[in-house]
């Protein structure tokens, strides 16, 4: 907080409100509007929260104009190059890079809490084989609240830690169970000797009938995608987790709410939507037709994987993923990559188009991630689940941060009411 105040005056009544200005470590100042209703009798109106800071946070910083993303102050490019997902998870949760013994303890904790209660595992049999994996994952994560209630006292920091570790450790197992159920294969139990992504790949692709060796190229690619997706400050799903969690609800329910929010095509569902779009476009000569459709206001079609609420220059994660897609496809020996070639061409055409230039619409993180997932053999319907595994770290981190924030209150927005004025009930016969 500073002594600086923004001053608001109602020109009709002459009433004033002094809005205290809070200065962040980096980024634009934030005006506290809490006194506005008391002083002026007015609320603020900001659909989609485009100009509203909903909380204070020390986790992630984004500069959308400059294309900057940092976790706990560390640029995403450095983390993607030098770190790994488990270390990043520790960094996000605890605020500092771990020392060797801290990392070893954390890694062991996560590796040794990957199994699910057998009864929870049986839930999957209740889903139809063609249920969307995000529906299964959301439902099963919510069901965790009926199982692990030895440690859900949200005001106990130790319980919060146990929950965080459990959630991060078990989400790959839940994701893999959803996948195995959808392809009708037997569930594969986690293996503690494998690292986070190796274990996930093994649970996905191992079958009892033959040996499966984790491909280190695939595990490394997945690890990097998970680093890039681990957190993104107050995005739709994270804000949902905070809002749900703010009532003090069981934390597994709050994470399930985050999964539900992530699923939408405007958010985490975009990676699946991008591949659907590329398949529909089909060939390079069709691109102009679809670019024109995306520009046509009367056509609901949008270029999926383009545009972002915060990034108004290139999404830094998209740059990393784009480079990685080249490497992964080469290393996996994929030389015939029509979908990737189509994506590269579409990007080039859109980036030169006045409509996309004027509206600052650039590829976002999901424009290329689906291409990599597909090269790893992960089916389209699982893409958003992969995103959810990584983002679970961010959700849990924000949930923990919220509960230890001295300014924390239940989330409860106000509204601009535009409904009917008071009127009297009319009996059915008189309507
Ligand atoms: N294709 C065509 N036009 C677009 C696109 C697009 N992908 N994205 C935005 N626009 C246009 C809008 O029509 C609007 O035009 P107008 O000003 O003439 O009305 C303008 O650009 C601004 O778009 P908004 O929808 O108002 O921007 P908002 O910040 O609300 O939405 C969003 C951001 C949801 C990401 C949007 O760009 C979009 O729908 N993109 C496609 C879906 C997608 O890729 N989502 C993933 C986001 S990243 C993530 O969640 C991990």
């Amino acid at each position: 907080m500073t002594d600086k105040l923004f001053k608001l005056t109602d020109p009709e009544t002459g009433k004033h409100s002094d809005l205290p200005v809070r200065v962040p470590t980096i980024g634009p100042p934030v005006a506290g509007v809490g006194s506005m209703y008391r002083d002026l009798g007015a609320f603020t109106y900001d659909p989609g929260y485009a100009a509203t800071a909903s909380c204070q946070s020390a986790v992630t910083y984004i500069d959308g104009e400059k294309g900057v993303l940092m976790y706990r102050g560390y640029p995403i490019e450095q983390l993607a190059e030098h770190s790994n997902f488990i270390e990043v998870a520790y960094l996000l949760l605890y605020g500092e890079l771990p020392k060797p013994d801290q990392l070893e303890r954390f890694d062991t904790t996560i590796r040794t809490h990957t199994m699910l209660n057998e009864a929870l595992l049986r839930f999957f049999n209740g889903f139809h084989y063609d249920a969307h994996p995000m529906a299964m994952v959301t439902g099963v994560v919510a069901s965790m609240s009926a199982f692990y209630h030895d440690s859900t006292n949200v005001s106990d920091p130790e319980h919060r830690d146990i929950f965080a570790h459990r959630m991060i450790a078990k989400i790959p197992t839940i994701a893999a169970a959803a996948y195995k159920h959808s392809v009708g294969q037997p569930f594969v139990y986690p293996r503690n000797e494998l690292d986070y992504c190796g274990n996930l790949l093994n649970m996905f692709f191992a079958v009892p009938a033959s040996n499966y060796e984790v491909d280190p190229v695939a595990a490394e690619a997945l690890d990097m995608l998970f680093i890039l997706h681990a957190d993104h400050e107050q995005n739709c799903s994270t804000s949902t987790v905070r809002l749900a969690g703010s009532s003090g609800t069981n934390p597994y329910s709050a994470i399930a709410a985050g999964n539900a929010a992530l699923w939408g095509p405007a958010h985490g569902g975009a990676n699946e939507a991008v591949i659907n779009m590329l398949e529909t476009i089909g060939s390079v000569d069709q691109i102009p037709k679809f670019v024109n459709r995306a520009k046509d206001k009367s056509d609901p079609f949008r270029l999926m994987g383009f545009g972002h609420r915060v990034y108004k220059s290139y999404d830094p994660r998209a740059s990393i993923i784009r480079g990685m897609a080249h490497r992964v496809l080469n290393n996996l020996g994929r030389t015939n990559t029509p979908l990737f070639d189509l994506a590269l061409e579409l990007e080039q055409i859109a980036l030169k188009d006045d409509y996309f230039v004027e509206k600052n619409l650039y590829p976002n993180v999901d424009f290329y991630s689906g291409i990599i997932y597909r090269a790893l053999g992960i089916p389209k319907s699982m893409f958003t689940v992969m995103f959810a595994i990584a983002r679970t770290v961010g959700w849990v981190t924000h949930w923990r941060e919220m509960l230890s924030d001295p300014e924390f209150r239940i989330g409860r927005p106000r509204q601009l009411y535009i409904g009917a004025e008071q009127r009297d009930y009319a009996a059915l016969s008189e309507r």
Side-chain angles (χ1 to χ4, degrees):
M1 193 80 78
T2 59
D3 295 337
K4 190 175 160 186
L5 297 169
F6 286 138
K7 292 186 180 295
L8 268 186
T9 306
D10 180 337
E12 270 179 29
T13 61
K15 283 185 185 168
H16 297 285
S17 187
D18 289 335
L19 309 184
V21 175
R22 301 190 55 166
V23 181
T25 335
I26 349 171
V30 173
V33 292
S35 58
M36 243 182 81
Y37 182 63
R38 187 195 61 214
D39 298 338
L40 303 176
F43 295 128
T44 54
Y45 180 61
D46 182 19
Y49 310 110
T52 297
S54 62
C55 61
Q56 52 179 355
S57 179
V59 180
T60 289
Y61 174 75
I62 301 173
D63 183 332
E65 308 296 325
K66 297 193 184 125
V68 171
L69 168 62
M70 297 190 293
Y71 296 163
R72 301 287 189 181
Y74 295 100
I76 193 68
E77 293 81 1
Q78 291 183 24
L79 294 170
E81 191 176 348
H82 303 296
S83 189
N84 59 63
F85 181 64
I86 282 295
E87 185 178 67
V88 165
Y90 183 100
L91 171 70
L92 285 167
L93 275 175
Y94 298 110
E96 296 298 334
L97 285 170
K99 296 192 183 357
D101 60 319
Q102 292 171 319
L103 182 59
E104 198 189 324
R105 263 202 311 280
F106 181 66
D107 185 42
T108 305
T109 304
I110 300 301
R111 280 177 197 242
T112 51
H113 287 85
T114 46
M115 284 178 66
L116 295 182
N117 184 302
E118 284 293 306
L120 190 56
L121 202 52
R122 285 197 289 275
F123 277 34
F124 285 94
N125 291 332
F127 292 108
H128 208 246
Y129 73 95
D130 61 354
H132 194 287
M134 272 307 279
M136 294 192 255
V137 169
T138 306
V140 172
V141 168
S143 306
M144 288 174 84
S145 55
F147 283 79
Y148 303 103
H149 34 220
D150 57 329
S151 54
T152 46
N153 175 3
V154 298
S155 49
D156 181 338
E158 204 188 321
H159 280 205
R160 299 207 285 260
D161 250 19
I162 294 171
F163 155 73
H165 297 160
R166 257 195 196 137
M167 198 61 248
I168 295 168
K170 292 184 196 307
I171 188 70
T173 318
I174 294 173
Y179 173 63
K180 286 298 199 190
H181 181 72
S182 65
V183 290
Q185 288 181 4
F187 174 70
V188 173
Y189 284 88
R191 281 173 43 192
N192 291 356
E193 78 276 16
L194 294 173
D195 65 19
Y196 200 79
C197 290
N199 180 45
L200 178 63
L201 287 169
N202 188 65
M203 288 191 292
F204 263 58
F205 298 122
V207 287
S210 65
N211 287 332
Y212 172 78
E213 286 291 324
V214 175
D215 181 343
V217 173
E220 194 191 323
L222 207 53
D223 196 84
M224 199 205 275
L225 282 175
F226 282 5
I227 293 176
L228 301 180
H229 282 97
D231 192 45
H232 214 232
E233 51 117 309
Q234 311 311 322
N235 57 86
C236 174
S237 55
T238 303
S239 298
T240 302
V241 170
R242 280 184 177 261
L243 192 57
S246 76
S247 70
T249 189
N250 183 294
Y252 298 103
S253 305
I255 301 298
N259 273 284
L262 186 75
W263 191 5
H267 190 14
N271 47 20
E272 186 180 340
V274 168
I275 299 293
N276 287 335
M277 174 188 76
L278 291 173
E279 284 173 345
T280 309
I281 295 176
S283 59
V284 169
D285 60 306
Q286 293 296 308
I287 292 177
K289 186 174 110 193
F290 283 91
V291 168
N292 284 336
R293 280 189 61 192
K295 298 192 293 191
D296 180 356
K297 285 275 157 246
S298 61
D299 187 329
F301 176 79
R302 279 187 167 199
L303 279 195
M304 298 315 286
F306 263 77
H308 197 275
R309 170 60 62 79
V310 181
Y311 293 119
K312 298 304 171 199
S313 69
Y314 215 92
D315 179 339
R317 301 167 301 174
S319 315
I320 299 171
I321 293 190
R322 190 175 187 273
M324 183 181 154
H326 277 288
R327 253 195 348 269
V328 172
L329 294 170
N330 280 339
N331 290 348
L332 291 173
R334 307 281 156 82
T335 44
N336 181 16
T337 56
L339 227 51
F340 185 44
D341 300 341
L342 189 61
L344 288 171
E345 192 59 31
L346 174 58
E347 177 185 5
Q348 284 317 307
I349 292 175
L351 290 181
K352 285 190 207 123
D353 191 291
D354 286 348
Y355 174 93
F356 290 89
V357 173
E358 277 158 24
K359 294 186 189 299
N360 295 318
L361 297 170
Y362 295 88
N364 59 49
V365 66
D366 281 328
F367 190 64
Y368 288 109
S369 63
I371 290 169
I372 301 179
Y373 285 136
R374 173 170 273 214
L376 301 181
I378 292 161
K380 240 179 349 189
S381 62
M382 286 299 294
F383 291 177
T384 310
V385 173
M386 305 308 280
F387 190 162
I389 298 173
R391 188 53 60 83
T392 293
V393 169
W395 294 332
V396 166
T397 300
H398 282 274
W399 176 84
R400 278 174 90 252
E401 181 182 62
M402 176 185 73
L403 288 173
S404 52
D405 183 346
E407 294 185 3
F408 157 63
R409 301 166 77 188
I410 186 172
R412 205 304 184 186
R414 305 304 293 243
Q415 64 169 5
L416 168 66
Y417 175 69
I418 54 166
E421 291 186 18
Q422 183 176 335
R423 47 189 170 162
D424 291 326
Y425 177 81
L428 192 54
S429 57
E430 288 162 20
R431 278 174 234 162

